Amino acid sequence: MSTRRPVNLTSARVPRGKVFVLPERCKGCRFCIDFCPKEVLVESEDSNAKGYRYPLLASGKEDGCIHCQYCTLVCPELAIFTEEDG
Amino acid sequence: MTASERILTGEHFMLGDHACAEGALAAGLDFFACYPITPSTEVAERLSHRMPKLGASFLQMEDELGSMAAIVGASVAGARAMTATSGPGFSLMMENVGLAAMMEAPCVVVDVMRGSPSTGLPTAVGQGDVMQVRWGSHGDYSIVAYCPNSPQECFDLTIKAFNTADHYRIPTFVMLDEVVGHMTERVVIPDAKEIPFSGRKRPSTPPTDGRFLPFQAAGDGVPPMAHAGEGYKLHFTGLTHDERGYPALTPEAHVALVRRLVDKVRLNAPAIVEHEELMLDDAEVVIVAFGCTSRSARRAVHLAREQGVRAGLLRPITLWPFPEERVRRQLRTRGLRRFVVAELNMGQMSREVERLTQLPVLRVNHPGGAMLRPEDILEAVLR
Amino acid sequence: MTPTKAAGASSHPLDSLFRADRLPHILCPGCGIGPAMQCYTQAMVESGIPLERQVCVSGIGCSGRVAGYVNIDSYHTTHGRAIPFALGVAVARPELRVTVFSGDGDLISIGGNHFMHSARRNVDLTVICINNFNYGMTGGQAGPTTPPGAKATTAPYGNAERPFNLPYLAAAVGATFVARWTALHVRQLKDTMVRALRKQGFSFIEILAPCPTGFGRPNDIGEGLDEMNRYRTRCVVNHKAPLHELDVDLREIEEPIVLGNFVDRDRPHYRPPMIQRSPAEEHGTAGDRWAAQRPAGMEGTE
């Protein structure tokens, strides 16, 4: 059994991520939007060619991604991913 | 392991089912999956004894559905794979016979025919799977079915079945009947060097260049075969597919694929069809019979000749494709009066002869349980 | 205050793990098979097993289509027969790592006998089972995992049958590794898949997944997102949960859904009987037979 240790706040660094979206692949399931732990994403007003609303960066959250890659894994369509950004 | 352990070169007094097993081993059997069923069980028992000593895989599966699926899986991984069964199990295998045809996975199925339908006569002879082996899975596809009439042929034709399966990428069948499977006779197993081997056509381009199309066929209709684990990133499906192997659910793709699957055997039939004939040159009555029935028919030919009737015997060795060209050629023989088709079913092969000729075709048949006697066939010849 | 467009991209870093020319896939919006497939492809890489040695075999149904999208050797077989087909591949070529990816109807109903016996034998296979509580491909019929009373197109008055508890079943018939996650729990699911791929013997992962089209809407659960939210609020992780208490009914709001890696044990895995284990003196394995016929450039892949 491993023992959990408190995070060392002076040395811990939260990564920053950059979000990439391929809007035309999106089928509008909203998994990435609703389950993003930092609530970085919102749904677009307009639709892609198939008629689905795709994720956008929420206003004020443009730098909020922490590159946890949850959206990459949960997206059924290979329509979103993140890269570590600085 | 040496060739001599795998190939029992020499003269033997051997059961038909065992000869079938030895033929498979001589052909290089890697993988055998089965479910016990009379009267084919001796094939499995022999192989369960022999294969573990040869580094080859013997599996007893949970049912015949699984047995057939397993040999198709082994085949696409590169194995020479076989199963053996009888009527009720053969019915269960039909699902994945279709898969083998669609995936073009070479494999061999031994069917030792017993009295049928249903559970029928488990321990007694029948020849009722003639149409099932050809048409048993849904839809159109092509197969080759060999029909030995002796233990020696059980050995020889099982080897041939593997080579044909690999050559055309089809399921092939060795159709014994209970009498042939349970008959013990002299079997000569030749030296390893004399065992014919022809393998699968293989890709000519390496996987790295990405140009290989796994279902693109050359002129003979047979695509080269790449196996799992070779780096080609193959996709095989039972769905209608294109040359990449990808599902293509269009009428055009379906017509092209199914036509090719059927034509692989249809257009190559002259190279595949085999028969044996006895005194057909001047025959006025031609008996058509296969398997154990052909042995009674042979005697009937001699008995008829003794009584002044010029009888002859045409024995299909490939039940499918049926030797119809040989029948057509016989139709040009001066003085030919009729055909007599003898078989242990209610008239399955008879239809193949009837559709080729306007001459009378007498059926000598019953649905199994015992062999037809020479006298039964003779009576129809003399009638 | 308007949202901004995220950076664009012409491709996805995981595209190479898929047959990208076949995307978009046929699965409905909100289907849980997509996330499971993402986890599978990432686990394939993280397992450290060369992709050339990995094989995906599937049966029939929506989940069975996964074999057509992952970019490794893949075989889309007949309904219920993915496991025995995979067994054939795995036994003929023991150096290959074979995964069966299919659905609950395919693996547990029509393929139930093969599931049971391959687990009993402890065949070296990883079986990934998408459980969406219905037959999705054919239009939402009841199946062996449909909860009692649930509506289905063949159970318009409510399902009259009791469903399987899949982890309990898998453990009872002999699986050496048994886990359950959902399409929401992608991180745990991917890590579990890596473990399963590295585990010798018969490993089984059940993935609860939304099927909004066939199950969610007729049962007042709603869209895929709504079902995912039920997983979010109701799932508890308990690796030591008693297996017989793992029944799932998505409609019972009060009941927790238990997830975890429930079983991890070691038993000898299946090999056909061999009296003499000489891999390739003369005859060799199935793969060796054709080695001489192999074109140049393939040496590195064996």
Side-chain angles (χ1 to χ4, degrees), chain B residues 1 28 30 52 62 78 95-96 206-207 228-229 233-237, chain C residues 19 73-74 76 78 81 93 114 121 275 281 283 289-290 296 298:
Chain B
M1 180 196 58
D30 301 295
E62 52 272 16
E95 173 192 57
N96 292 297
K233 298 180 177 177
L234 304 165
H235 184 60
F236 282 32
T237 175
Chain C
R19 300 180 192 273
D73 287 330
S74 57
H76 177 221
T78 37
R81 316 299 163 224
R93 299 286 298 277
H114 310 305
R121 292 186 186 103
I275 303 303
E281 276 176 43
H283 182 67
R289 169 192 308 288
W290 315 103
M298 283 170 50

PDB file of all heavy atoms in Angstrom, chain B residues 1 28 30 52 62 78 95-96 206-207 228-229 233-237, chain C residues 19 73-74 76 78 81 93 114 121 275 281 283 289-290 296 298:
ATOM      1  N   MET B   1      12.284 -32.779 -33.679  1.00  0.00           N
ATOM      2  CA  MET B   1      11.321 -33.600 -34.431  1.00  0.00           C
ATOM      3  C   MET B   1      11.855 -33.823 -35.848  1.00  0.00           C
ATOM      4  O   MET B   1      12.373 -32.919 -36.480  1.00  0.00           O
ATOM      5  CB  MET B   1       9.997 -32.848 -34.504  1.00  0.00           C
ATOM      6  CG  MET B   1       8.951 -33.585 -35.241  1.00  0.00           C
ATOM      7  SD  MET B   1       7.620 -32.464 -35.672  1.00  0.00           S
ATOM      8  CE  MET B   1       8.489 -31.256 -36.610  1.00  0.00           C
ATOM      9  N   GLY B  28       1.417 -31.264 -43.121  1.00  0.00           N
ATOM     10  CA  GLY B  28       1.971 -30.185 -42.300  1.00  0.00           C
ATOM     11  C   GLY B  28       0.975 -29.566 -41.349  1.00  0.00           C
ATOM     12  O   GLY B  28       1.112 -28.394 -40.985  1.00  0.00           O
ATOM     13  N   ASP B  30      -0.730 -27.869 -38.565  1.00  0.00           N
ATOM     14  CA  ASP B  30      -0.226 -27.145 -37.397  1.00  0.00           C
ATOM     15  C   ASP B  30      -1.242 -27.107 -36.273  1.00  0.00           C
ATOM     16  O   ASP B  30      -0.881 -26.987 -35.107  1.00  0.00           O
ATOM     17  CB  ASP B  30       0.046 -25.670 -37.740  1.00  0.00           C
ATOM     18  CG  ASP B  30       1.035 -25.484 -38.846  1.00  0.00           C
ATOM     19  OD1 ASP B  30       2.199 -25.861 -38.642  1.00  0.00           O
ATOM     20  OD2 ASP B  30       0.640 -24.973 -39.910  1.00  0.00           O
ATOM     21  N   PRO B  52       0.785 -33.712 -30.056  1.00  0.00           N
ATOM     22  CA  PRO B  52       1.657 -33.196 -28.979  1.00  0.00           C
ATOM     23  C   PRO B  52       3.113 -33.615 -29.124  1.00  0.00           C
ATOM     24  O   PRO B  52       4.017 -32.916 -28.667  1.00  0.00           O
ATOM     25  CB  PRO B  52       1.027 -33.786 -27.711  1.00  0.00           C
ATOM     26  CG  PRO B  52      -0.404 -33.991 -28.073  1.00  0.00           C
ATOM     27  CD  PRO B  52      -0.376 -34.422 -29.520  1.00  0.00           C
ATOM     28  N   GLU B  62     -15.261 -26.400 -27.112  1.00  0.00           N
ATOM     29  CA  GLU B  62     -16.529 -26.547 -26.401  1.00  0.00           C
ATOM     30  C   GLU B  62     -17.670 -26.953 -27.326  1.00  0.00           C
ATOM     31  O   GLU B  62     -18.679 -27.474 -26.871  1.00  0.00           O
ATOM     32  CB  GLU B  62     -16.896 -25.246 -25.675  1.00  0.00           C
ATOM     33  CG  GLU B  62     -16.879 -23.995 -26.540  1.00  0.00           C
ATOM     34  CD  GLU B  62     -15.510 -23.333 -26.602  1.00  0.00           C
ATOM     35  OE1 GLU B  62     -14.513 -23.982 -26.233  1.00  0.00           O
ATOM     36  OE2 GLU B  62     -15.426 -22.166 -27.034  1.00  0.00           O
ATOM     37  N   GLY B  78      -1.576 -18.029 -40.182  1.00  0.00           N
ATOM     38  CA  GLY B  78      -0.563 -18.739 -40.948  1.00  0.00           C
ATOM     39  C   GLY B  78      -0.533 -20.240 -40.779  1.00  0.00           C
ATOM     40  O   GLY B  78       0.299 -20.917 -41.373  1.00  0.00           O
ATOM     41  N   GLU B  95     -21.841 -21.833 -40.214  1.00  0.00           N
ATOM     42  CA  GLU B  95     -21.702 -20.397 -39.984  1.00  0.00           C
ATOM     43  C   GLU B  95     -20.288 -19.919 -40.348  1.00  0.00           C
ATOM     44  O   GLU B  95     -20.114 -18.973 -41.106  1.00  0.00           O
ATOM     45  CB  GLU B  95     -21.970 -20.132 -38.497  1.00  0.00           C
ATOM     46  CG  GLU B  95     -21.715 -18.723 -38.065  1.00  0.00           C
ATOM     47  CD  GLU B  95     -21.716 -18.608 -36.547  1.00  0.00           C
ATOM     48  OE1 GLU B  95     -20.929 -19.313 -35.892  1.00  0.00           O
ATOM     49  OE2 GLU B  95     -22.509 -17.823 -36.020  1.00  0.00           O
ATOM     50  N   ASN B  96     -19.298 -20.596 -39.823  1.00  0.00           N
ATOM     51  CA  ASN B  96     -17.930 -20.126 -40.026  1.00  0.00           C
ATOM     52  C   ASN B  96     -17.262 -20.718 -41.262  1.00  0.00           C
ATOM     53  O   ASN B  96     -16.170 -20.284 -41.628  1.00  0.00           O
ATOM     54  CB  ASN B  96     -17.103 -20.325 -38.761  1.00  0.00           C
ATOM     55  CG  ASN B  96     -17.594 -19.396 -37.675  1.00  0.00           C
ATOM     56  OD1 ASN B  96     -17.517 -18.174 -37.827  1.00  0.00           O
ATOM     57  ND2 ASN B  96     -18.169 -19.953 -36.630  1.00  0.00           N
ATOM     58  N   PRO B 206       6.791  -5.607 -49.291  1.00  0.00           N
ATOM     59  CA  PRO B 206       6.902  -5.608 -47.830  1.00  0.00           C
ATOM     60  C   PRO B 206       5.851  -4.681 -47.209  1.00  0.00           C
ATOM     61  O   PRO B 206       5.326  -3.792 -47.890  1.00  0.00           O
ATOM     62  CB  PRO B 206       8.307  -5.079 -47.581  1.00  0.00           C
ATOM     63  CG  PRO B 206       8.636  -4.269 -48.789  1.00  0.00           C
ATOM     64  CD  PRO B 206       7.895  -4.891 -49.932  1.00  0.00           C
ATOM     65  N   PRO B 207       5.554  -4.887 -45.918  1.00  0.00           N
ATOM     66  CA  PRO B 207       4.524  -4.059 -45.288  1.00  0.00           C
ATOM     67  C   PRO B 207       4.915  -2.593 -45.220  1.00  0.00           C
ATOM     68  O   PRO B 207       4.060  -1.727 -45.191  1.00  0.00           O
ATOM     69  CB  PRO B 207       4.403  -4.655 -43.884  1.00  0.00           C
ATOM     70  CG  PRO B 207       5.611  -5.467 -43.674  1.00  0.00           C
ATOM     71  CD  PRO B 207       6.116  -5.887 -45.004  1.00  0.00           C
ATOM     72  N   ALA B 228      -1.454 -12.559 -39.842  1.00  0.00           N
ATOM     73  CA  ALA B 228      -1.353 -11.740 -38.627  1.00  0.00           C
ATOM     74  C   ALA B 228       0.098 -11.727 -38.147  1.00  0.00           C
ATOM     75  O   ALA B 228       0.796 -12.743 -38.212  1.00  0.00           O
ATOM     76  CB  ALA B 228      -2.259 -12.310 -37.539  1.00  0.00           C
ATOM     77  N   GLY B 229       0.551 -10.584 -37.680  1.00  0.00           N
ATOM     78  CA  GLY B 229       1.881 -10.509 -37.080  1.00  0.00           C
ATOM     79  C   GLY B 229       2.998 -10.215 -38.054  1.00  0.00           C
ATOM     80  O   GLY B 229       4.161 -10.193 -37.670  1.00  0.00           O
ATOM     81  N   LYS B 233      -0.783  -4.694 -40.969  1.00  0.00           N
ATOM     82  CA  LYS B 233      -1.958  -4.017 -40.415  1.00  0.00           C
ATOM     83  C   LYS B 233      -3.215  -4.403 -41.194  1.00  0.00           C
ATOM     84  O   LYS B 233      -3.938  -3.563 -41.733  1.00  0.00           O
ATOM     85  CB  LYS B 233      -1.748  -2.499 -40.402  1.00  0.00           C
ATOM     86  CG  LYS B 233      -0.567  -2.107 -39.529  1.00  0.00           C
ATOM     87  CD  LYS B 233      -0.350  -0.615 -39.493  1.00  0.00           C
ATOM     88  CE  LYS B 233       0.802  -0.292 -38.540  1.00  0.00           C
ATOM     89  NZ  LYS B 233       1.117   1.127 -38.491  1.00  0.00           N
ATOM     90  N   LEU B 234      -3.432  -5.677 -41.270  1.00  0.00           N
ATOM     91  CA  LEU B 234      -4.523  -6.227 -42.070  1.00  0.00           C
ATOM     92  C   LEU B 234      -5.866  -5.947 -41.424  1.00  0.00           C
ATOM     93  O   LEU B 234      -5.967  -5.849 -40.206  1.00  0.00           O
ATOM     94  CB  LEU B 234      -4.349  -7.745 -42.172  1.00  0.00           C
ATOM     95  CG  LEU B 234      -3.016  -8.226 -42.738  1.00  0.00           C
ATOM     96  CD1 LEU B 234      -2.843  -9.710 -42.449  1.00  0.00           C
ATOM     97  CD2 LEU B 234      -2.975  -7.965 -44.239  1.00  0.00           C
ATOM     98  N   HIS B 235      -6.885  -5.851 -42.256  1.00  0.00           N
ATOM     99  CA  HIS B 235      -8.243  -5.944 -41.727  1.00  0.00           C
ATOM    100  C   HIS B 235      -9.019  -6.958 -42.555  1.00  0.00           C
ATOM    101  O   HIS B 235      -9.152  -6.818 -43.763  1.00  0.00           O
ATOM    102  CB  HIS B 235      -8.961  -4.607 -41.719  1.00  0.00           C
ATOM    103  CG  HIS B 235     -10.328  -4.706 -41.090  1.00  0.00           C
ATOM    104  ND1 HIS B 235     -10.489  -5.123 -39.782  1.00  0.00           N
ATOM    105  CD2 HIS B 235     -11.575  -4.510 -41.576  1.00  0.00           C
ATOM    106  CE1 HIS B 235     -11.792  -5.153 -39.495  1.00  0.00           C
ATOM    107  NE2 HIS B 235     -12.467  -4.787 -40.563  1.00  0.00           N
ATOM    108  N   PHE B 236      -9.516  -7.992 -41.863  1.00  0.00           N
ATOM    109  CA  PHE B 236     -10.349  -9.010 -42.490  1.00  0.00           C
ATOM    110  C   PHE B 236     -11.741  -8.898 -41.868  1.00  0.00           C
ATOM    111  O   PHE B 236     -11.857  -8.762 -40.646  1.00  0.00           O
ATOM    112  CB  PHE B 236      -9.816 -10.422 -42.198  1.00  0.00           C
ATOM    113  CG  PHE B 236      -8.622 -10.860 -43.009  1.00  0.00           C
ATOM    114  CD1 PHE B 236      -7.663  -9.954 -43.442  1.00  0.00           C
ATOM    115  CD2 PHE B 236      -8.446 -12.208 -43.307  1.00  0.00           C
ATOM    116  CE1 PHE B 236      -6.558 -10.377 -44.158  1.00  0.00           C
ATOM    117  CE2 PHE B 236      -7.342 -12.642 -44.026  1.00  0.00           C
ATOM    118  CZ  PHE B 236      -6.387 -11.732 -44.453  1.00  0.00           C
ATOM    119  N   THR B 237     -12.762  -8.993 -42.672  1.00  0.00           N
ATOM    120  CA  THR B 237     -14.118  -8.933 -42.138  1.00  0.00           C
ATOM    121  C   THR B 237     -15.042  -9.867 -42.905  1.00  0.00           C
ATOM    122  O   THR B 237     -14.807 -10.149 -44.085  1.00  0.00           O
ATOM    123  CB  THR B 237     -14.680  -7.490 -42.188  1.00  0.00           C
ATOM    124  OG1 THR B 237     -16.044  -7.504 -41.766  1.00  0.00           O
ATOM    125  CG2 THR B 237     -14.601  -6.887 -43.585  1.00  0.00           C
TER     126      THR B 237
ATOM    127  N   ARG C  19      -7.379   3.606 -38.399  1.00  0.00           N
ATOM    128  CA  ARG C  19      -7.433   3.649 -39.860  1.00  0.00           C
ATOM    129  C   ARG C  19      -8.131   4.963 -40.196  1.00  0.00           C
ATOM    130  O   ARG C  19      -9.341   5.019 -40.405  1.00  0.00           O
ATOM    131  CB  ARG C  19      -8.201   2.442 -40.393  1.00  0.00           C
ATOM    132  CG  ARG C  19      -7.549   1.113 -39.978  1.00  0.00           C
ATOM    133  CD  ARG C  19      -8.317  -0.087 -40.497  1.00  0.00           C
ATOM    134  NE  ARG C  19      -7.855  -1.306 -39.855  1.00  0.00           N
ATOM    135  CZ  ARG C  19      -6.828  -2.050 -40.290  1.00  0.00           C
ATOM    136  NH1 ARG C  19      -6.187  -1.715 -41.373  1.00  0.00           N
ATOM    137  NH2 ARG C  19      -6.476  -3.135 -39.633  1.00  0.00           N
ATOM    138  N   ASP C  73      -3.289  -5.409 -36.974  1.00  0.00           N
ATOM    139  CA  ASP C  73      -3.948  -6.566 -37.585  1.00  0.00           C
ATOM    140  C   ASP C  73      -5.263  -6.795 -36.860  1.00  0.00           C
ATOM    141  O   ASP C  73      -5.293  -6.948 -35.631  1.00  0.00           O
ATOM    142  CB  ASP C  73      -3.069  -7.814 -37.469  1.00  0.00           C
ATOM    143  CG  ASP C  73      -1.870  -7.766 -38.408  1.00  0.00           C
ATOM    144  OD1 ASP C  73      -1.981  -7.139 -39.480  1.00  0.00           O
ATOM    145  OD2 ASP C  73      -0.836  -8.353 -38.073  1.00  0.00           O
ATOM    146  N   SER C  74      -6.360  -6.816 -37.610  1.00  0.00           N
ATOM    147  CA  SER C  74      -7.661  -6.876 -36.951  1.00  0.00           C
ATOM    148  C   SER C  74      -8.630  -7.725 -37.758  1.00  0.00           C
ATOM    149  O   SER C  74      -8.616  -7.712 -38.989  1.00  0.00           O
ATOM    150  CB  SER C  74      -8.209  -5.461 -36.758  1.00  0.00           C
ATOM    151  OG  SER C  74      -8.299  -4.797 -38.007  1.00  0.00           O
ATOM    152  N   HIS C  76     -12.672  -9.008 -37.989  1.00  0.00           N
ATOM    153  CA  HIS C  76     -14.071  -8.774 -37.645  1.00  0.00           C
ATOM    154  C   HIS C  76     -14.814 -10.057 -38.019  1.00  0.00           C
ATOM    155  O   HIS C  76     -15.014 -10.329 -39.198  1.00  0.00           O
ATOM    156  CB  HIS C  76     -14.544  -7.551 -38.453  1.00  0.00           C
ATOM    157  CG  HIS C  76     -15.978  -7.196 -38.275  1.00  0.00           C
ATOM    158  ND1 HIS C  76     -16.762  -6.800 -39.324  1.00  0.00           N
ATOM    159  CD2 HIS C  76     -16.772  -7.159 -37.187  1.00  0.00           C
ATOM    160  CE1 HIS C  76     -17.990  -6.526 -38.891  1.00  0.00           C
ATOM    161  NE2 HIS C  76     -18.022  -6.739 -37.603  1.00  0.00           N
ATOM    162  N   THR C  78     -17.576 -13.572 -36.964  1.00  0.00           N
ATOM    163  CA  THR C  78     -19.019 -13.828 -36.937  1.00  0.00           C
ATOM    164  C   THR C  78     -19.577 -13.556 -35.533  1.00  0.00           C
ATOM    165  O   THR C  78     -18.840 -13.451 -34.555  1.00  0.00           O
ATOM    166  CB  THR C  78     -19.305 -15.289 -37.327  1.00  0.00           C
ATOM    167  OG1 THR C  78     -18.289 -16.111 -36.786  1.00  0.00           O
ATOM    168  CG2 THR C  78     -19.330 -15.438 -38.832  1.00  0.00           C
ATOM    169  N   ARG C  81     -18.438 -15.430 -32.175  1.00  0.00           N
ATOM    170  CA  ARG C  81     -17.278 -16.325 -32.352  1.00  0.00           C
ATOM    171  C   ARG C  81     -15.944 -15.590 -32.261  1.00  0.00           C
ATOM    172  O   ARG C  81     -14.912 -16.152 -32.640  1.00  0.00           O
ATOM    173  CB  ARG C  81     -17.349 -17.062 -33.683  1.00  0.00           C
ATOM    174  CG  ARG C  81     -18.684 -17.620 -34.047  1.00  0.00           C
ATOM    175  CD  ARG C  81     -19.236 -18.653 -33.079  1.00  0.00           C
ATOM    176  NE  ARG C  81     -20.658 -18.781 -33.330  1.00  0.00           N
ATOM    177  CZ  ARG C  81     -21.596 -18.843 -32.405  1.00  0.00           C
ATOM    178  NH1 ARG C  81     -21.280 -18.817 -31.123  1.00  0.00           N
ATOM    179  NH2 ARG C  81     -22.864 -18.924 -32.739  1.00  0.00           N
ATOM    180  N   ARG C  93      -0.053 -18.621 -33.038  1.00  0.00           N
ATOM    181  CA  ARG C  93       1.082 -17.689 -32.971  1.00  0.00           C
ATOM    182  C   ARG C  93       1.192 -17.145 -31.559  1.00  0.00           C
ATOM    183  O   ARG C  93       0.803 -16.015 -31.295  1.00  0.00           O
ATOM    184  CB  ARG C  93       0.869 -16.531 -33.963  1.00  0.00           C
ATOM    185  CG  ARG C  93       0.774 -16.965 -35.427  1.00  0.00           C
ATOM    186  CD  ARG C  93       2.110 -17.369 -36.016  1.00  0.00           C
ATOM    187  NE  ARG C  93       3.050 -16.270 -36.007  1.00  0.00           N
ATOM    188  CZ  ARG C  93       3.093 -15.316 -36.947  1.00  0.00           C
ATOM    189  NH1 ARG C  93       2.264 -15.357 -37.946  1.00  0.00           N
ATOM    190  NH2 ARG C  93       3.979 -14.361 -36.873  1.00  0.00           N
ATOM    191  N   HIS C 114     -18.434 -19.849 -25.462  1.00  0.00           N
ATOM    192  CA  HIS C 114     -17.004 -19.675 -25.743  1.00  0.00           C
ATOM    193  C   HIS C 114     -16.335 -18.846 -24.644  1.00  0.00           C
ATOM    194  O   HIS C 114     -15.199 -19.115 -24.255  1.00  0.00           O
ATOM    195  CB  HIS C 114     -16.807 -19.004 -27.100  1.00  0.00           C
ATOM    196  CG  HIS C 114     -17.580 -19.647 -28.207  1.00  0.00           C
ATOM    197  ND1 HIS C 114     -17.478 -20.987 -28.497  1.00  0.00           N
ATOM    198  CD2 HIS C 114     -18.492 -19.146 -29.073  1.00  0.00           C
ATOM    199  CE1 HIS C 114     -18.293 -21.270 -29.505  1.00  0.00           C
ATOM    200  NE2 HIS C 114     -18.916 -20.174 -29.862  1.00  0.00           N
ATOM    201  N   ARG C 121     -10.312 -22.409 -19.532  1.00  0.00           N
ATOM    202  CA  ARG C 121      -9.000 -22.868 -20.012  1.00  0.00           C
ATOM    203  C   ARG C 121      -7.900 -21.881 -19.651  1.00  0.00           C
ATOM    204  O   ARG C 121      -6.731 -22.208 -19.718  1.00  0.00           O
ATOM    205  CB  ARG C 121      -9.004 -22.971 -21.537  1.00  0.00           C
ATOM    206  CG  ARG C 121      -9.853 -24.041 -22.105  1.00  0.00           C
ATOM    207  CD  ARG C 121      -9.653 -24.116 -23.625  1.00  0.00           C
ATOM    208  NE  ARG C 121     -10.599 -25.059 -24.175  1.00  0.00           N
ATOM    209  CZ  ARG C 121     -11.706 -24.726 -24.806  1.00  0.00           C
ATOM    210  NH1 ARG C 121     -11.993 -23.465 -25.011  1.00  0.00           N
ATOM    211  NH2 ARG C 121     -12.538 -25.654 -25.249  1.00  0.00           N
ATOM    212  N   ILE C 275       4.182 -32.836 -25.826  1.00  0.00           N
ATOM    213  CA  ILE C 275       5.070 -33.816 -25.208  1.00  0.00           C
ATOM    214  C   ILE C 275       6.508 -33.401 -25.449  1.00  0.00           C
ATOM    215  O   ILE C 275       7.373 -33.546 -24.623  1.00  0.00           O
ATOM    216  CB  ILE C 275       4.815 -35.230 -25.790  1.00  0.00           C
ATOM    217  CG1 ILE C 275       3.366 -35.623 -25.588  1.00  0.00           C
ATOM    218  CG2 ILE C 275       5.757 -36.242 -25.170  1.00  0.00           C
ATOM    219  CD1 ILE C 275       2.895 -35.606 -24.153  1.00  0.00           C
ATOM    220  N   GLU C 281      12.379 -27.062 -34.908  1.00  0.00           N
ATOM    221  CA  GLU C 281      13.522 -27.799 -35.451  1.00  0.00           C
ATOM    222  C   GLU C 281      13.354 -28.025 -36.937  1.00  0.00           C
ATOM    223  O   GLU C 281      14.184 -27.682 -37.751  1.00  0.00           O
ATOM    224  CB  GLU C 281      13.692 -29.128 -34.735  1.00  0.00           C
ATOM    225  CG  GLU C 281      14.473 -28.969 -33.441  1.00  0.00           C
ATOM    226  CD  GLU C 281      14.547 -30.269 -32.696  1.00  0.00           C
ATOM    227  OE1 GLU C 281      14.775 -31.304 -33.348  1.00  0.00           O
ATOM    228  OE2 GLU C 281      14.356 -30.260 -31.470  1.00  0.00           O
ATOM    229  N   HIS C 283       9.649 -28.515 -38.371  1.00  0.00           N
ATOM    230  CA  HIS C 283       8.340 -28.031 -38.785  1.00  0.00           C
ATOM    231  C   HIS C 283       8.116 -26.608 -38.316  1.00  0.00           C
ATOM    232  O   HIS C 283       7.669 -25.756 -39.064  1.00  0.00           O
ATOM    233  CB  HIS C 283       7.259 -28.950 -38.210  1.00  0.00           C
ATOM    234  CG  HIS C 283       5.897 -28.553 -38.619  1.00  0.00           C
ATOM    235  ND1 HIS C 283       5.490 -28.634 -39.922  1.00  0.00           N
ATOM    236  CD2 HIS C 283       4.870 -28.038 -37.915  1.00  0.00           C
ATOM    237  CE1 HIS C 283       4.245 -28.199 -39.996  1.00  0.00           C
ATOM    238  NE2 HIS C 283       3.844 -27.828 -38.802  1.00  0.00           N
ATOM    239  N   ARG C 289       6.396 -21.410 -41.140  1.00  0.00           N
ATOM    240  CA  ARG C 289       6.230 -22.168 -42.382  1.00  0.00           C
ATOM    241  C   ARG C 289       6.456 -21.294 -43.607  1.00  0.00           C
ATOM    242  O   ARG C 289       7.053 -21.702 -44.584  1.00  0.00           O
ATOM    243  CB  ARG C 289       4.833 -22.767 -42.465  1.00  0.00           C
ATOM    244  CG  ARG C 289       4.537 -23.337 -43.843  1.00  0.00           C
ATOM    245  CD  ARG C 289       3.079 -23.663 -43.993  1.00  0.00           C
ATOM    246  NE  ARG C 289       2.628 -24.487 -42.898  1.00  0.00           N
ATOM    247  CZ  ARG C 289       2.958 -25.755 -42.757  1.00  0.00           C
ATOM    248  NH1 ARG C 289       3.735 -26.329 -43.636  1.00  0.00           N
ATOM    249  NH2 ARG C 289       2.516 -26.439 -41.744  1.00  0.00           N
ATOM    250  N   TRP C 290       5.919 -20.070 -43.517  1.00  0.00           N
ATOM    251  CA  TRP C 290       5.908 -19.221 -44.699  1.00  0.00           C
ATOM    252  C   TRP C 290       7.098 -18.266 -44.710  1.00  0.00           C
ATOM    253  O   TRP C 290       7.184 -17.390 -45.563  1.00  0.00           O
ATOM    254  CB  TRP C 290       4.611 -18.425 -44.763  1.00  0.00           C
ATOM    255  CG  TRP C 290       3.418 -19.263 -44.467  1.00  0.00           C
ATOM    256  CD1 TRP C 290       2.715 -19.293 -43.296  1.00  0.00           C
ATOM    257  CD2 TRP C 290       2.799 -20.226 -45.323  1.00  0.00           C
ATOM    258  NE1 TRP C 290       1.686 -20.197 -43.387  1.00  0.00           N
ATOM    259  CE2 TRP C 290       1.708 -20.795 -44.613  1.00  0.00           C
ATOM    260  CE3 TRP C 290       3.051 -20.671 -46.629  1.00  0.00           C
ATOM    261  CZ2 TRP C 290       0.879 -21.769 -45.154  1.00  0.00           C
ATOM    262  CZ3 TRP C 290       2.225 -21.641 -47.155  1.00  0.00           C
ATOM    263  CH2 TRP C 290       1.167 -22.179 -46.433  1.00  0.00           C
ATOM    264  N   ALA C 296      11.447  -9.276 -48.779  1.00  0.00           N
ATOM    265  CA  ALA C 296      12.441  -8.522 -48.021  1.00  0.00           C
ATOM    266  C   ALA C 296      11.777  -7.367 -47.298  1.00  0.00           C
ATOM    267  O   ALA C 296      10.798  -6.808 -47.777  1.00  0.00           O
ATOM    268  CB  ALA C 296      13.515  -7.998 -48.973  1.00  0.00           C
ATOM    269  N   MET C 298      10.548  -7.633 -44.206  1.00  0.00           N
ATOM    270  CA  MET C 298       9.651  -8.109 -43.172  1.00  0.00           C
ATOM    271  C   MET C 298      10.376  -8.749 -42.012  1.00  0.00           C
ATOM    272  O   MET C 298       9.758  -9.171 -41.050  1.00  0.00           O
ATOM    273  CB  MET C 298       8.666  -9.128 -43.755  1.00  0.00           C
ATOM    274  CG  MET C 298       7.571  -8.465 -44.554  1.00  0.00           C
ATOM    275  SD  MET C 298       6.601  -9.648 -45.445  1.00  0.00           S
ATOM    276  CE  MET C 298       6.222 -10.827 -44.173  1.00  0.00           C
TER     277      MET C 298
END
